[in-house]
Amino acid sequence: MSLTKTKLCNLALSKLGSERLLLSNFDNDSGMLKDTVDLHYDTTLEELVRMHRWNCCTSRSKLTNSTTTDPKVPLFEYKEQHSLPANFVRAIYVSDTDEVFEYGRSRVNYIIDSNKLLSNCPNIWMHYDRVPSVSEMDALFVQAFATLLAARLAVSITGSRDLYLSLLEEFNTVVMPEARRVNAFDNRELPLVDSAWLEATYTSGSSYSNSYPPFSQTSYGSFS
């Protein structure tokens, strides 16, 4: 049976130690229990997404250039602004091209200001963390979220600070380390490079030394 928002919340509530603390339907229920869960759900989920680069939370998008639609921003320093995706949480990397980089990828100087990405590039592609739907969450992310949500609910629902501290310790010392360890198995990141010149050194066919460019024995001169 597939995971639903109701089951996910009940998984968190079950950690509080009472079978009576369960929801029948997240969308239709009412009352103090539902209101308390609803109060903490979205903020806890976004908090967890920001804690780590989860594979089930990443996405890619070409951003919409909004420079001409709001000429007041940016006022200075940057020439271009782009609107962030609606489910955006954190940028992983930003590029000014959609070309495939075999040995490295370009990097763009940018800042995120007033929910806009400011840069000097008219075209922006972004790899970013987003808030996932329940159906997109993997099993270890679900356990991490349920444990953290249970900790956030503990004092409000049970009045027990000891339970809150116990759940937080479980999250930090047991659940989160294992989830992060397994999540890392699925990643093999290419190095970031700063310029086309460095990118060229990565794609060079030179066999001058055994070191990886640009850290080979080739001399680039010295500064006086």
Side-chain angles (χ1 to χ4, degrees), residues 3 38 51 169 176 216:
L3 184 68
D38 197 23
M51 284 183 180
E169 181 179 7
M176 192 66 167
S216 68

mmCIF file of all heavy atoms in Angstrom, residues 3 38 51 169 176 216:
data_model
loop_
_atom_site.group_PDB
_atom_site.id
_atom_site.type_symbol
_atom_site.label_atom_id
_atom_site.label_comp_id
_atom_site.label_asym_id
_atom_site.label_seq_id
_atom_site.Cartn_x
_atom_site.Cartn_y
_atom_site.Cartn_z
ATOM 1 N N LEU A 3 2.391 5.043 0.392
ATOM 2 C CA LEU A 3 2.436 5.987 1.502
ATOM 3 C C LEU A 3 1.557 7.192 1.188
ATOM 4 O O LEU A 3 1.532 7.689 0.072
ATOM 5 C CB LEU A 3 3.875 6.437 1.728
ATOM 6 C CG LEU A 3 4.126 7.357 2.921
ATOM 7 C CD1 LEU A 3 3.899 6.605 4.230
ATOM 8 C CD2 LEU A 3 5.548 7.910 2.865
ATOM 9 N N ASP A 38 -0.674 19.885 11.566
ATOM 10 C CA ASP A 38 -0.664 20.789 10.419
ATOM 11 C C ASP A 38 0.271 21.977 10.657
ATOM 12 O O ASP A 38 0.941 22.455 9.736
ATOM 13 C CB ASP A 38 -2.087 21.285 10.157
ATOM 14 C CG ASP A 38 -2.246 21.885 8.772
ATOM 15 O OD1 ASP A 38 -1.434 21.553 7.880
ATOM 16 O OD2 ASP A 38 -3.175 22.673 8.576
ATOM 17 N N MET A 51 18.634 20.392 5.569
ATOM 18 C CA MET A 51 19.709 19.793 6.358
ATOM 19 C C MET A 51 20.703 18.998 5.521
ATOM 20 O O MET A 51 21.855 18.832 5.915
ATOM 21 C CB MET A 51 19.117 18.853 7.419
ATOM 22 C CG MET A 51 18.493 19.553 8.604
ATOM 23 S SD MET A 51 17.909 18.313 9.797
ATOM 24 C CE MET A 51 17.236 19.398 11.060
ATOM 25 N N GLU A 169 17.435 13.011 20.062
ATOM 26 C CA GLU A 169 18.673 12.237 20.119
ATOM 27 C C GLU A 169 18.633 11.066 19.140
ATOM 28 O O GLU A 169 19.617 10.776 18.462
ATOM 29 C CB GLU A 169 18.902 11.721 21.541
ATOM 30 C CG GLU A 169 20.196 10.926 21.678
ATOM 31 C CD GLU A 169 20.437 10.441 23.096
ATOM 32 O OE1 GLU A 169 19.544 10.607 23.943
ATOM 33 O OE2 GLU A 169 21.520 9.877 23.357
ATOM 34 N N MET A 176 19.335 9.891 11.308
ATOM 35 C CA MET A 176 19.942 10.796 10.334
ATOM 36 C C MET A 176 21.293 10.291 9.818
ATOM 37 O O MET A 176 21.532 10.316 8.599
ATOM 38 C CB MET A 176 20.070 12.185 10.941
ATOM 39 C CG MET A 176 20.422 13.266 9.932
ATOM 40 S SD MET A 176 19.100 13.531 8.739
ATOM 41 C CE MET A 176 19.654 15.077 7.996
ATOM 42 N N SER A 216 48.766 19.075 -12.660
ATOM 43 C CA SER A 216 49.860 18.275 -13.192
ATOM 44 C C SER A 216 51.177 19.004 -12.977
ATOM 45 O O SER A 216 51.237 20.055 -12.340
ATOM 46 C CB SER A 216 49.627 18.039 -14.687
ATOM 47 O OG SER A 216 49.752 19.263 -15.379
#
